[in-house]
Amino acid sequence: MEEPMRYKVKPELLDKIRVDKDLSSDEKLAHYLGLSLGTVRLLRAGSQPSLQTVIRVMNAADVTDIKAATSIAA
């Protein structure tokens, strides 16, 4: 049986939101996204997020192409 594809949010996308929204910390980014700081840290560390989280981050970054927002995790 084939293993499911694993993906992660590109950290640059989180950085883009911080710059675009003038957020000075990941704590403020987490609040803006409606996520916990722990979730933002996990995203930065390469953990696979839920689809709902990916969509939330993409919307905040004004990105519509999932390939531009994610990469395949090793």
Side-chain angles (χ1 to χ4, degrees), residues 5-73:
M5 185 181 303
R6 298 192 48 81
Y7 58 90
K8 61 182 180 178
V9 170
K10 292 180 180 176
E12 309 88 74
L13 199 59
L14 299 173
D15 296 336
K16 176 186 183 325
I17 298 166
R18 277 190 56 176
V19 169
D20 290 353
K21 305 301 180 189
D22 196 29
L23 303 170
S24 60
S25 68
D26 275 354
E27 185 173 2
K28 290 181 180 180
L29 173 64
H31 184 264
Y32 179 81
L33 292 172
L35 301 172
S36 70
L37 178 57
T39 298
V40 170
R41 287 180 176 158
L42 287 171
L43 291 174
R44 286 200 180 277
S47 292
Q48 181 170 335
S50 68
L51 183 57
Q52 179 181 2
T53 298
V54 172
I55 292 169
R56 187 176 291 194
V57 171
M58 288 175 61
N59 285 339
D62 198 27
V63 171
T64 57
D65 181 4
I66 196 162
K67 290 180 180 178
T70 61
S71 61
I72 303 302

